Each structure stands twice: as structure tokens, then as C-alpha cells.
Amino acid sequence: MDSNNPVIQQPYIVIKASKLNERQGFLTPILKITEDGYEPIIHDEYPSDILVSKDYPSIDELYGYNELFILDSHELDIEKSYEKGKKCYWAETKNISNQIPNTLIPILDIELPPKETGNLPLGVIPPKGVYFINNDTFLYGPLISPPNQNEDGFYIIEPYTHPNFSFGRGNIGKFKVSEILNCIVTLYINYKEEKRISSLKHLSFFKKNDSFIDYLPDEQLVKVLNQQNFGKQSTKLGKKEAERLQQAIIQFEKNNRSTKDDRLERLKIIISRYLSEADIGYELIKEYLNSNAGQKFLGNYIEVKMPSLLNKYIDQIKTEAKIEENKINSEIEKKNRELTSIKEKVDLEAIKATEEIYNTIQNKEKTIAKILAETEEETR
């Protein structure tokens, strides 16, 4: 750095702006990092982006579009500022570092999806990594989403596990927005306002004993039961196991009339729906035959039963062939009858034609004889 230029040793949150050439590019300052947290950027102090003097392509490759990272220090360019008539800054790539994990966490401004499915609304793409959901009244999280959509085309949300937010399996934090305003940071990225949670650590100070809600999806309820040996470690409960579970729930409720468990109520609905499905047996059989044990059973069964299976199959083929043969013979007989009828008609017509020809010849001969007789009579 130029020794004549003042060095700003304070770290800033920045994003990529644009490339200037093959070696240089610009960074946009977003927030100033202070001992007390974050401060907004004053436009008069930073009327233009910060120039990276060399090796900008490495930054361009390392960080994505609008991804936050840290510029640990930069320099006021006195000469350039004088030329441009406004403050200009420049920095070196070596002063770039990654954003501190679990800080400036994104917030989605939507209603919390139903816990039965956890499906985000169609078209809503969740942020990468940890995030929260804010419906103006409550903040929910921390949350995370798998990178790919489910088979129905939805992104789903799941509780994010963190030591400062140990709410129990399947639970997520629920905070009154009015009580955590100090944790919410406002920033502007490409002129668009965004809200972020300053850090998980900061938010954890506002955690109470009741700062969570049950958010265990239906799918997870069944998985939990399977881990407790229901359904014999199958991914689906057997019908008998499901019926026994149903009875166990009824007995549990009788013994604990004073308690009300939301998950238990949901489980009752799920089990009832599960038992009402018509294809439970088919799905269980299909799953078994696809397993190693099922494949072995199927192979042994076919080997032992092959003769009887083949005999049954051959008998079936013979029966079908006989039916087809009878059908063909019937068609042939029908065609033969039709041909015989046609031949009889042709023969009859031939006889009639012969008789007509004979009669015509006879008539002509008689006419000729008569004419000859009359001619001889006249010549005499």
C-alpha cells in the first residue's frame, strides 16, 4: 500500500461489484463491523465502490453473486480522490476473508409452512445454509433446507441443530419480533433492503424456556417410531404393529388424562390414515421382495417351484392354444361353407347359360331351315 495514503484498519462487510479488467475489479461495502456489532455505510464516505488493485479473478471465483465476505482493511487513495472530486478507495486481495459463520443470517419474510409437510410455497427458493422465517409477529428458526426439491417440487424446511438452540428433536425456536429488534440488522444489497439476524450467539441471549414450537413433520413421526422397533425396522409399519400402536396410544391417554400432547394427537390421525390405506400389504410385500432377504427367498422359491410353475404355465398355454385352434377351425368351416354355396350358385348359372345357348342355336337352325324351304318353293 502507498505509505502516504491513510489505511482504514476496520473490517467491512462487502460483496463483489464488477470487473474492471483482467486483473482488477470492484467491491461494494455493505456494513461496517464494530465492537458493538454493525453500522450502516454512510454514502458520503463511500460514494463509489472499492477498487481491488490486482488478482480480482480469485475473488470472483471464490464468492458468489451477492455473497457476503469481509474486507479486513483498505486504503483511501488521496490522489485519485483529488482527481475524481470524491473519496476513492482501493484494497488488496490478501485483506479478504470469509464471513464469520452463523452471522448475518438471512430472513425469509413469509408465513411458516405447515409442520405436517414443511413445504415452502412453490416458487420460494430458500437461502443456502442457515436462515430464519419472519411473519412480522414471530421469528422462527434456525432452519435449513436440503439443496434439492422433493418429488412434489417443493423445497422443505428442517430445524437446524446448534448448541445455542437445543430445543429438542423436531422443535424450532419462536421469538417475538418486538423483543429481538436489537438482533435484526438492516442492510442494502444492490439497492434492495434486506433483514438479517446479527448472529446466532446474539439471538440466543433472548431464548426462553418456552421459546420453541413443535415442528416435527408427519414423515419424521413415523421414522421415530421405526427407530423404536415398530414395523421391525421397516420403512413402513406393518398393519399389526400399527394396530397395536393404536391400542397403545389409547391406553396411554387413559393413563394420562391430565396431559395433552400435540404430537400424540397428530400421530393418532396419521395411524388412522395409514390403516385406512388399501395398499399397505402390497407395499410391505414389495419392500420385502426388494430387500436382500426377499431376493434370496424369491430365488429359492422359484428354484423349488419351477416344475410346478412351468407345468401350470404349459397347461395354460395348451388350453389357450386349443381355444385358438377351435376358433380357427370354426372360421375355416365357415369359409368352406361360403365357398360351397358360391360354387353351387356358379354351377347353376352355368347350366342355365348352357341351356340358353342351346335353345338359341336350335331357334336359329329352325329359322334358317324355314327360310331355305321357302326359297326352294319360290324357285319352282
Side-chain angles (χ1 to χ4, degrees):
M1 289 190 175
D2 192 330
S3 59
N4 295 323
N5 290 331
V7 177
I8 294 91
Q9 294 288 359
Q10 192 169 24
Y12 279 62
I13 298 292
V14 297
I15 61 170
K16 297 186 307 183
S18 61
K19 288 177 65 175
L20 177 62
N21 51 48
E22 293 301 320
R23 297 174 55 252
Q24 300 175 316
F26 294 98
L27 305 176
T28 300
I30 302 297
L31 291 169
K32 184 189 299 185
I33 303 176
T34 68
E35 293 181 357
D36 298 324
Y38 302 95
E39 291 183 4
I41 299 296
I42 300 173
H43 183 265
D44 290 343
E45 289 294 317
Y46 287 85
S48 59
D49 294 329
I50 301 171
L51 174 69
V52 176
S53 59
K54 60 181 179 179
D55 200 22
Y56 180 82
S58 64
I59 298 176
D60 199 26
E61 182 178 347
L62 189 59
Y63 299 103
Y65 177 72
N66 286 349
E67 183 178 355
L68 303 179
F69 54 98
I70 296 175
L71 176 62
D72 292 307
S73 65
H74 56 289
E75 192 172 301
L76 175 64
D77 191 328
I78 295 177
E79 183 178 347
K80 186 70 69 174
S81 298
Y82 179 77
E83 290 176 3
K84 296 286 187 179
K86 60 181 180 181
K87 291 184 177 180
C88 297
Y89 301 87
W90 68 281
E92 294 180 293
T93 310
K94 67 179 183 180
N95 294 317
I96 296 296
S97 62
N98 295 333
Q99 183 186 343
I100 300 172
N102 295 323
T103 61
L104 293 176
I105 304 160
I107 298 174
L108 277 182
D109 291 321
I110 59 172
E111 290 295 329
L112 185 69
K115 62 186 171 185
E116 288 77 12
T117 63
N119 290 342
L120 286 168
L122 275 176
V124 174
I125 301 175
K128 294 180 181 179
V130 189
Y131 64 94
F132 287 83
I133 283 178
N134 175 23
N135 69 353
D136 291 334
T137 304
F138 293 100
L139 183 83
Y140 300 97
L143 306 166
I144 196 167
S145 291
N148 298 319
Q149 297 157 293
N150 60 21
E151 59 185 13
D152 297 320
F154 294 92
Y155 287 100
I156 63 171
I157 65 175
E158 298 174 352
Y160 174 71
T161 303
H162 188 273
N164 291 340
F165 295 90
S166 301
F167 298 118
R169 182 172 182 179
N171 295 320
I172 60 172
K174 178 182 178 180
F175 305 88
K176 282 187 178 181
V177 173
S178 60
E179 295 178 355
I180 60 166
L181 294 177
N182 289 339
C183 294
I184 298 177
V185 178
T186 301
L187 50 83
Y188 294 87
I189 297 180
N190 290 323
Y191 306 103
K192 181 182 177 182
E193 181 181 288
E194 294 187 15
K195 302 288 186 182
R196 302 283 181 111
I197 295 298
S198 57
S199 70
L200 289 183
K201 181 179 180 180
H202 190 189
L203 183 62
S204 68
F205 296 148
F206 296 86
K207 187 176 69 172
K208 302 176 183 177
N209 291 334
D210 60 348
S211 297
F212 67 90
I213 58 170
D214 171 35
Y215 205 75
L216 190 67
D218 290 351
E219 177 183 288
Q220 293 294 324
L221 280 174
V222 177
K223 286 183 179 179
V224 170
L225 291 172
N226 283 338
Q227 290 175 357
Q228 296 172 351
N229 292 328
F230 289 101
K232 301 177 183 178
Q233 297 298 329
S234 169
T235 57
K236 297 180 179 66
L237 286 172
K239 189 167 185 178
K240 290 295 183 184
E241 285 80 6
E243 288 173 346
R244 285 201 295 269
L245 175 61
Q246 201 172 40
Q247 294 301 316
I249 292 172
I250 294 172
Q251 188 60 45
F252 177 84
E253 288 185 309
K254 288 180 179 178
N255 297 337
N256 299 271
R257 295 182 183 275
S258 60
T259 61
K260 182 173 177 61
D261 190 321
D262 178 59
R263 288 185 179 178
L264 192 62
E265 293 298 319
R266 290 171 55 207
L267 185 56
K268 286 167 60 179
I269 296 172
I270 293 172
I271 295 300
S272 296
R273 190 170 69 237
Y274 187 79
L275 288 172
S276 68
E277 293 291 338
D279 60 350
I280 292 176
Y282 168 77
E283 288 295 334
L284 289 170
I285 292 170
K286 180 180 176 183
E287 180 179 301
Y288 173 70
L289 292 179
N290 285 332
S291 67
N292 291 332
Q295 292 288 327
K296 184 178 180 181
F297 162 77
L298 191 60
N300 292 337
Y301 179 82
I302 291 174
E303 183 178 352
V304 173
K305 297 291 184 180
M306 182 65 77
S308 60
L309 288 172
L310 286 177
N311 289 336
K312 182 179 179 181
Y313 185 63
I314 291 170
D315 291 341
Q316 182 182 354
I317 292 175
K318 286 181 177 179
T319 301
E320 292 175 354
K322 188 64 177 177
I323 293 172
E324 190 65 25
E325 181 185 2
N326 293 337
K327 182 179 178 182
I328 292 171
N329 288 335
S330 176
E331 289 293 326
I332 291 173
E333 289 178 4
K334 180 180 177 182
K335 294 297 181 184
N336 284 337
R337 287 194 298 271
E338 291 175 354
L339 289 173
T340 299
S341 176
I342 291 171
K343 184 177 181 301
E344 288 175 354
K345 289 181 180 179
V346 171
D347 290 343
L348 182 61
E349 292 297 325
I351 292 171
K352 287 182 180 180
T354 302
E355 290 178 352
E356 289 179 0
I357 292 170
Y358 177 78
N359 291 333
T360 300
I361 293 172
Q362 289 294 319
N363 290 334
K364 286 183 177 181
E365 287 179 350
K366 288 180 180 179
T367 301
I368 293 170
K370 181 179 179 181
I371 293 170
L372 289 174
E374 289 177 350
T375 304
E376 288 179 1
E377 187 69 28
E378 288 177 356
T379 54
R380 288 178 186 176

